[in-house]
Amino acid sequence: MTDLAKRKAQLLARLNELDVRLHDIEAELDAPHSSDWEESAIEREDDEVLERIGASGLGEVKAIRAALKRIEDGSYGICVRCGEDISDPRLDAVPATPVCRNCAA
């Protein structure tokens, strides 16, 4: 298995990226809308997209925090469903995953 310190650093870096992105989204959503009707309609559509991106980001933040907790309690890399080891290639692809490939299917 890849060194847990490297995994933790990778997860913390991603958490930081998401924090910056989510703050940017929040600032954009708080920005005033145009008084022009057409432009305002486009901005509202953009806001809906930003809200969905933000919700997705919040879900990823939750998954990363859970993975960091598993690192701290020594259960990281062990499937929460079946108890088998999660393969390194899967953890490389989805570092915050709580489940092995078989259980994810």
Side-chain angles (χ1 to χ4, degrees):
M1 176 180 268
T2 301
D3 185 326
L4 282 179
K6 288 180 185 177
R7 291 272 190 220
K8 184 175 181 178
Q10 180 184 23
L11 290 166
L12 288 171
R14 180 64 180 152
L15 193 59
N16 187 53
E17 290 172 18
L18 288 167
D19 183 56
V20 170
R21 180 182 299 164
L22 290 172
H23 279 92
D24 288 347
I25 288 171
E26 186 176 342
E28 182 68 29
L29 289 172
D30 288 343
H33 288 285
S34 172
S35 59
D36 178 59
W37 186 87
E38 281 186 44
E39 198 167 312
S40 180
I42 292 170
E43 288 172 353
R44 290 186 196 284
E45 287 177 4
D46 291 346
D47 286 353
E48 290 174 12
V49 171
L50 287 173
E51 287 171 355
R52 285 192 297 271
I53 292 170
S56 174
L58 288 173
E60 189 175 352
V61 165
K62 183 178 176 181
I64 290 171
R65 287 186 177 147
L68 291 169
K69 184 176 183 288
R70 288 192 304 277
I71 287 173
E72 294 304 316
D73 70 20
S75 64
Y76 181 80
I78 300 169
C79 180
V80 298
R81 289 194 187 148
C82 71
E84 295 294 321
D85 286 342
I86 301 172
S87 70
D88 281 337
R90 177 151 174 80
L91 289 170
D92 289 340
V94 190
T97 188
V99 293
C100 68
R101 181 176 171 228
N102 291 335
C103 289

